[in-house]
Amino acid sequence: MTTRKYAMRTACLLLVAGLSACAAAGPVLRAAAPSHPEHAGRASEPMSPSPFVVPLDAATLAKLPREPVKASAHGQDLDCEGVALAGLLRATGAVPADPLRGPQLARYLLVTARDGYRAIYSLAELDPSLSDRRVLLVDHCSGKPLDDDDGPLRLIAPGDARPARWVRQVKSITVVAAP
């Protein structure tokens, strides 16, 4: 075999071996070019770490504006007061002050109750620039603090068709990046 043919055959074998190694390693992920002109050229705020546990202490909640909410669950009318969940997320740094975009849209909120009940909300459905959904974290109903059966904190989403994602006895709220 001539030197030139030997060199060509060796190069082909190395190429095939390299391609096989790349295929075994899995797909290569590249940053995609913005598909929409609105996304081009904007600097985004740094994202909070994942998971990010949202502080629910009294001092944090006291700094936020309070809102009333009237809703009905299981045949019971509620007249409650608390803080907007979107406002709490922004105030604690769980989400940026600017409208969500890009990878931030692949995050969700995991709300966990003392008894283990859990519910999920996407951050996109809570962002006021993307949705008019109102979700509140309440601590008072009928002018009194919530009792142990419902409180000390309760999540209420009055726009939901049924209260399946309303969480009583809220223990934690965590922002998580989807895998």
Side-chain angles (χ1 to χ4, degrees), residues 133-178:
R133 174 175 297 281
R134 236 178 120 216
V135 179
L136 287 100
L137 186 64
V138 302
D139 57 0
H140 284 76
C141 285
S142 302
K144 297 183 275 187
L146 296 177
D147 60 23
D148 282 344
D149 289 339
D150 290 326
L153 299 170
R154 182 177 187 178
L155 198 71
I156 295 179
D160 284 357
R162 60 188 190 91
R165 294 191 301 167
W166 295 21
V167 180
R168 296 176 314 162
Q169 304 171 344
V170 172
K171 179 174 101 176
S172 66
I173 298 177
T174 308
V175 176
V176 182

Side-chain angles (χ1 to χ4, degrees), residues 66-103:
R66 300 191 58 79
E67 297 182 24
V69 61
K70 290 182 188 269
S72 180
H74 308 293
Q76 181 184 13
D77 291 331
L78 301 172
D79 185 8
C80 300
E81 180 183 287
V83 299
L85 187 55
L88 173 64
L89 296 175
R90 281 196 167 73
T92 59
V95 298
D98 292 336
L100 296 178
R101 60 179 30 81

Side-chain angles (χ1 to χ4, degrees), residues 22-42:
C22 286
V28 176
L29 299 176
R30 293 189 178 106
S35 59
H36 195 280
E38 178 181 306
H39 300 168
R42 286 197 176 166

